[in-house]
Amino acid sequence: MLTTSPHLYIRRPSPTTAEFTVTTCPPLTLPLRLALFGILLLRIATVGLVLLAIYTQYVAATFTTATSPTTLPDLSLSLSLSPSDLASTLQALLSALLASPLGIWIAKASSHLPPYAFCGLSYLLLYISLVTRIHTTESVLVLRGLGIQTSSSSSSGAIQKTRFIPTAQIQDVFINEAFRGFEVRYYLVVVVEGEEDVVVVFPRLLPKRRIVEAVWRGIRGCLYEQRSEANGGYHFQGGNVWKDGGGGKWQQQRQRKVDGGEKGLG
Amino acid sequence: MAPAYNIAMVCDFFFPQPGGIESHIYQLSTKLIDRGHKVIIITHAYEGRTGVRYLTNGLKVYHVPFMVIYRSATFPAVLSFFPIFRNIVLRERIDIVHGHASLSSLCHEAILHARTMGLRTVYTDHSLFGFADAASILANKLLKFSLSDVDHVICVSHTCKENTVLRASLDPLMVSVIPNAVVAENFKPLSGPATSSISAGAGGQSFGHHHGPPPARQLGPHDTITIVVISRLFYNKGTDLLTAAIPRILENHPNTRFIIAGSGPKSIDLEQMIEQNVLQDRVEMLGPIRHEEVRDVMVRGHIYLHPSLTEAFGTVIVEAASCGLYVVCTQVGGIPEVLPSHMTVFAKPEEDDLVAATGKAIAALRANKVRTELFHEQVKNMYSWTNVALRTERVYNGISGAISEAEFYSYDAASAVAAASWTANRGRSGVQSFALIDRLKRYYGCGIWAGKLFCLVVIVDYLLFLFLELWYPRDKIDICPDWPRKKVKQQQQQQRKES
């Protein structure tokens, strides 16, 4: 419900620029927005609870039970929000939380768990609520005369990784097949001059062939349009499209068919 | 018009590894592509050769990596291959799975999975096996398992067919014999036209340049006769026999010498024999050579000696004959079927007889009784890959029901009723039923314990298949674009003209 299979958005702010975004996020409707907001609240609540649980463990480990009654009367003072005693106010709030039924319940629950389980569980909950993302979005931005910028979230999903490849360094853009897990997948590749490894576009999502082909056409069209005019024809992708020499002919044929269809329509 | 199939050749053995099975698969695939079919090859990953590759003619090769789960621990092979195999089969829209070689586990697994997925299967056997020793018994049991449910079996010679039928308890009717072939153009004798094309490719190999005596049409009584042996130096290739025979042959016939190419564990024995008898100037050991260099070595000799103890077909003797060599070979396995008698001298696989046969061949050559220069044309007419592809295509037609059972198995309608007993668990005409219960029946007959075990394996495989259908649904798998197929019509017309 929250995610869909990867699909493609193309943005063309100018004739020489194109951005291809592949995302698992469905179109944002009101119910979806509400659900996402709910999830955000849930995450904040989870983080708060975990921190509270850690704090109770900390309190239990460092202080004896004698500390708790002394902090109780400070609750009334906490209303005066002067910045000077912010720390003490916070402490007062925390101790108030500790004394509340929720705090007591959490302290009980966390003291029942063995320490390693407590650590593991709190780490897991923090990781899920802070680091993981529901949607994966990867994009490639093509600027004619400048180059290609690929962006993708790292494996944890928190940090956005971008990579810019100047046009001068781009040797080729092509589609290849490879084994991945128990499958054979198509993927779009940029060959960068002077680098041993190729740059895979959309490395996490590895969208289906239809999307990859559309992006590949778009990138070729946007990057090398000059060359296609020089060739005087529509098959701007010319020769060695698939690096292995496999689908080249097929691509050309298909391109012709597509163009033929368009001409028929026009 | 015969339908065009999508065929997957599955074998553990494929290029870059050299060998007979490898080139058989390649040649057959190329010729099938020429006939308008789509062929892919599934093999395992070799060092430096992984992933999906294309060869000439749009032949696509999948080098399946072994699924490494943790460090070098792999999934049980039978199960881990199935998801990848299913993925490949679905994306390439395969109709027929054709496995090769009985020692290739990948092939047997593929046949099992293919049957589970409801595909037609063909199996080609390239080798002969014994029945007595423990390893053979185990191998035969496994063969029986995977061949219990295969649609059709192809053997490379009649001896091989007999062997396979016995080993796997098959119905002889479902076993066809389609011999290997050679690319005759690559094995031309020296005197023939356009000889230097291959030796140019040998690229500075030392032996390519010392030119041996060309096979003179008329041999004088004192001309040197060169005997060539090209084989892997293993026990089953008869290297022991060779080691024993060489000193005696050289002693009996003064103007003879040997060229031995190939490597293997028995090469030490040969070297010891050479040193003991001080034959360094009369026996030349070339070591391992590549397949494309074989012809260059062969044309340096007059006689090809093939001392093998077991051989299903023996492509190498066809190659030797094609190069214009007189062939001396042991009468074992499928060898007697391979060449006509005027090209060969047969020997029993024992030392005395081999020495005598070689003597006979040398005498015949010295007397100029053998017209070796005619061999090339004769072999060219006997063996061609196009013919092999045609006959294989007929097998495909038969198992997929494109030609009727009566036509495929060539019996008339009257005996079809009589034959109904053996086709009891077959569904359509000549086609084995895919129903799980029918498959289990076939496997159950494999043995008291083995039968039950095999049934268990098949059931697990089926459950895995159902799980995969749920987990990796078919509609989520990308379909591959086909390489543009060759036009079959023109070729059929050509063949009609030829015939």
Side-chain angles (χ1 to χ4, degrees), chain B residues 64-79:
Chain B
V64 179
F66 286 112
M67 283 309 301
V68 176
I69 300 297
Y70 176 72
R71 298 214 173 160
S72 58
T74 53
F75 227 53
V78 178
L79 300 180

Side-chain angles (χ1 to χ4, degrees), chain B residues 454-475:
Chain B
F454 293 166
C455 281
L456 206 67
V457 173
V458 173
I459 289 167
V460 168
D461 202 59
Y462 188 71
L463 290 175
L464 185 64
F465 172 65
L466 293 182
F467 170 76
L468 288 173
E469 288 286 314
L470 280 176
W471 198 251
Y472 298 104
R474 276 168 190 252
D475 52 339

